[in-house]
Amino acid sequence: MRQLVSAKMPDKRGIIRVFDKDCRYLQQVLRLKRGDILDVRIPNGSLVSMQAVGFTKKYVELKLVEGSSKSIERGISATLLQSKQLLSNDEDIASTKIGGCEYWLFQFMTRPQKMDVIIRQAVECGVAYIVPIKGEYSPVSAEKDRSVRWNRIVKEALQQSGSSVATQILEPQTLEQSLEVWRKKCCECSKDVYNTNKPDLTNNCYSFILHEDPEIQTSLFSKITVKPKKLALAVGCEGGIDAEELRKLTSFGFEKIHFNTNILRAETASLYGISVLQFLSMEFESWK
């Protein structure tokens, strides 16, 4: 089901008034009518069911559906009866997983138009975290601040796809910074980050680099030995990934993989790679 991403929390009556572009989206794109039920993602990350109860030329009025709930991955639901708790809860309760697995995309920054496509497709696929990396081969144009545009793309893709995952896109950063983010999530702490840190398989974390070298014969079936809780994929930009960057990634625990297919554009490679990892995770019990 398509959804609305709201910048506002429901008021004490369980009401949200939707103005401007979001109002036009509801009326002209979704063709919402009085009484229709809509999924709404509110600022604390919850996905709640709301009903269209009022229409004017300036706004659409939505109300939390009494007695109904929209469960999300961590077992937290939002209902009108829970509205006081929902409105005061600061805990991050957004769903980050599909089928029990959280997906990360470490994307070396491409030209702006391609990067926009990559972000949109990653959101539609349910990637939890997109980490833009300022790589050695990233174009100069990648240095411009595009956070406003990217956040708009994330919002539109969430609304169009109805994804249950509240995708987050991090600020562009160096490879070292991005690996530190991943370490905090999945890896054992160590003074020598690049030599001794490996994925913590007790947390079922796996990380891979999509590489163009056909000599790489790594089989994902042999590498994923327990059902993953987190899967990360690093994908290069148009010029690929620098040799030193590859060394840092592999020293950190990322493993090179190569799909025996045609040469893929950067925006196709990220979509293809995430899709393969999702299939392996979702069908783990079938093939293992």
Side-chain angles (χ1 to χ4, degrees):
M1 180 185 291
R2 289 187 178 182
Q3 62 183 263
L4 172 72
V5 178
S6 173
K8 299 178 180 179
M9 294 291 288
D11 63 20
K12 294 180 180 179
R13 301 172 298 153
I15 297 289
I16 294 178
R17 282 187 176 177
V18 182
F19 294 87
D20 303 324
K21 289 184 179 180
D22 288 339
C23 176
R24 292 193 292 274
Y25 169 73
L26 293 179
Q27 296 193 50
Q28 298 174 17
V29 178
L30 297 189
R31 301 186 184 279
L32 202 67
K33 296 180 175 60
R34 186 183 297 273
D36 286 351
I37 304 295
L38 175 73
D39 284 348
V40 179
R41 190 172 295 282
I42 53 181
N44 71 355
S46 297
L47 197 61
V48 300
S49 294
M50 303 194 76
Q51 185 175 40
V53 295
F55 289 83
T56 72
K57 291 183 178 180
K58 292 185 177 181
Y59 65 83
V60 173
E61 195 168 76
L62 304 175
K63 185 174 183 179
L64 281 168
V65 176
E66 186 171 2
S68 70
S69 65
K70 189 72 175 180
S71 296
I72 58 177
E73 191 72 33
R74 298 181 188 176
I76 299 173
S77 61
T79 68
L80 185 58
L81 299 176
Q82 297 169 314
S83 60
K84 289 185 179 179
Q85 177 184 356
L86 180 151
L87 296 176
S88 61
N89 189 359
D90 292 329
E91 182 185 2
D92 178 14
I93 60 175
S95 173
T96 61
K97 298 180 180 180
I98 296 178
C101 185
E102 184 177 274
Y103 299 93
W104 288 62
L105 175 61
F106 290 85
Q107 178 65 54
F108 285 78
M109 293 177 67
T110 65
R111 293 198 298 271
Q113 288 183 330
K114 289 179 178 286
M115 198 68 187
D116 291 351
V117 172
I118 290 168
I119 291 169
R120 177 180 59 78
Q121 292 178 156
V123 175
E124 291 174 356
C125 286
V127 171
Y129 296 95
I130 303 170
V131 187
I133 299 174
K134 295 182 284 189
E136 182 67 26
Y137 297 143
S138 293
V140 176
S141 57
E143 294 295 327
K144 294 182 180 179
D145 183 8
R146 298 177 63 81
S147 57
V148 173
R149 178 173 177 79
W150 286 349
N151 286 326
R152 187 177 77 247
I153 291 171
V154 170
K155 176 181 177 179
E156 291 173 352
L158 283 172
Q159 292 183 158
Q160 188 279 329
S161 65
S163 174
S164 62
V165 175
T167 303
Q168 297 182 44
I169 181 165
L170 280 60
E171 293 183 1
Q173 50 200 275
T174 64
L175 176 58
E176 290 79 5
Q177 290 170 328
S178 65
L179 291 176
E180 178 65 13
V181 171
W182 182 243
R183 181 190 67 79
K184 288 180 179 179
K185 285 285 184 177
C186 305
C187 298
E188 297 289 345
C189 295
S190 172
K191 292 181 180 179
D192 190 352
V193 171
Y194 298 114
N195 289 331
T196 60
N197 259 345
K198 297 292 182 183
D200 180 6
L201 295 184
T202 61
N203 288 330
N204 302 10
C205 297
Y206 297 91
S207 48
F208 301 99
I209 312 163
L210 198 54
H211 200 273
E212 68 272 15
D213 185 0
E215 297 299 318
I216 298 171
Q217 299 296 321
T218 301
S219 170
L220 286 173
F221 288 93
S222 65
K223 295 299 180 182
I224 301 178
T225 56
V226 292
K227 185 170 176 58
K229 293 182 179 178
K230 289 182 173 62
L231 278 170
L233 182 69
V235 181
C237 56
E238 294 94 331
I241 301 176
D242 175 69
E244 178 60 17
E245 292 169 337
L246 277 173
R247 186 194 69 79
K248 290 179 180 179
L249 283 163
T250 54
S251 296
F252 200 82
F254 280 71
E255 297 196 58
K256 296 179 185 177
I257 56 173
H258 173 77
F259 299 137
N260 189 21
T261 183
N262 300 329
I263 297 173
L264 304 177
R265 295 176 182 268
E267 65 271 31
T268 308
S270 58
L271 175 63
Y272 191 105
I274 288 295
S275 299
V276 170
L277 293 182
Q278 284 185 335
F279 173 78
L280 290 176
S281 175
M282 292 178 181
E283 299 294 326
F284 181 82
E285 302 298 338
S286 300
W287 60 264
K288 196 62 183 174

